[in-house]
Amino acid sequence: MAPLPLFHLTLLPLIIYKIALSSAAVDPTQGFTPLPLDNSNFVVQKPYDVPVNKRYSFINGVHKLWVYSTDKPHTPTSNTEPRTEIRISGYDYTSGVWQFEGYGYVPSGTTGVCIMQVFGGSSSATSLQLRIYDGSLTSYRSPVLARNIYDRWFRVNVIHDVGASNVKVYIDGELKYDGADHGPDTHYFKFGVYTQNDPSNYMESRWKDIKIFKK
């Protein structure tokens, strides 16, 4: 076999570096214990004046949630924006290290919407919001965590260390965010669609393989 040309040899370090980057994904659930989940843990919050099946479906293991920017809030007395979300019930927490895992999907055109949140905080109603703006996944309005997120399944892992006041976000096994939460409170996880600023008229997200872990 002929030896590699010199210019190929000079490219080897770059090739090895790129291979290392592509294999940088980790399993964020290592060291955590999975907790049991069933339908009783999934509480659907939707516009109060429409039935659940007009904003939510669960078919072949996929939760599909959608809302319109003109919809009502989830209760007649709420002043919040329209939403169709699943609130994880039964695992509210005020301490410890907790993790949400799920596979999300956002169709093209959905924008200006929160698709997952860690509820609770002393300085804000939430300690994390994952939002979609024009195909980018962001933490609140910024920073951008992942681009070109439309029309594909992506793995979401959110770790909340209450004692350390820290939140980490992994997308497809890669750490994309590591920052402070918004203070002590009773916390829980939510996913779906919750209208934010500059929304599209129609907003949708799909979720599957939802898991909750604790360390």
Side-chain angles (χ1 to χ4, degrees):
M1 178 177 174
L4 284 171
L6 181 60
F7 76 91
H8 281 169
L9 292 175
T10 60
L11 288 175
L12 276 177
L14 178 61
I15 294 170
I16 293 171
Y17 174 71
K18 287 186 174 181
I19 290 173
L21 282 181
S22 66
S23 60
V26 300
D27 181 4
T29 67
Q30 286 189 352
F32 283 79
T33 300
L35 301 175
L37 277 179
D38 58 36
N39 289 338
S40 67
N41 299 111
F42 298 123
V43 177
V44 179
Q45 299 178 343
K46 47 76 182 178
Y48 70 82
D49 61 338
V50 295
V52 170
N53 64 5
K54 295 297 184 182
R55 295 294 183 272
Y56 168 76
S57 68
F58 182 64
I59 301 172
N60 296 328
V62 175
H63 303 272
K64 178 181 175 182
L65 308 100
W66 64 98
V67 76
Y68 294 89
S69 61
T70 54
D71 275 339
K72 302 291 186 183
H74 67 295
T75 69
T77 57
S78 174
N79 293 318
T80 59
E81 296 296 321
R83 72 180 76 200
T84 305
E85 291 184 299
I86 289 180
R87 181 238 206 267
I88 301 293
S89 177
Y91 292 117
D92 295 11
Y93 61 94
T94 58
S95 62
V97 184
W98 295 75
Q99 181 171 179
F100 168 94
E101 179 181 79
Y103 288 81
Y105 180 101
V106 180
S108 297
T110 288
T111 191
V113 66
C114 170
I115 63 168
M116 186 271 165
Q117 57 178 307
V118 178
F119 190 84
S122 55
S123 63
S124 174
T126 61
S127 280
L128 174 76
Q129 284 192 355
L130 296 181
R131 299 184 186 178
I132 299 293
Y133 289 107
D134 299 322
S136 291
L137 181 70
T138 64
S139 172
Y140 293 96
R141 192 68 197 247
S142 66
V144 173
L145 308 186
R147 300 187 185 277
N148 303 315
I149 210 76
Y150 283 149
D151 302 325
R152 68 177 182 88
W153 287 101
F154 52 94
R155 183 186 180 193
V156 178
N157 293 82
V158 174
I159 299 174
H160 187 195
D161 185 335
V162 179
S165 300
N166 178 258
V167 178
K168 291 182 173 65
V169 178
Y170 292 81
I171 303 299
D172 293 325
E174 294 186 14
L175 181 62
K176 296 294 187 179
Y177 180 80
D178 185 346
D181 66 13
H182 289 153
D185 201 355
T186 298
H187 301 282
Y188 50 84
F189 299 116
K190 303 180 77 175
F191 61 94
V193 276
Y194 176 29
T195 307
Q196 301 299 314
N197 51 295
D198 303 319
S200 50
N201 177 56
Y202 175 82
M203 293 156 275
E204 176 191 322
S205 73
R206 306 170 199 171
W207 292 87
K208 64 181 181 179
D209 299 333
I210 304 299
K211 297 181 178 70
I212 301 296
F213 299 85
K214 186 180 180 184
K215 183 177 285 187

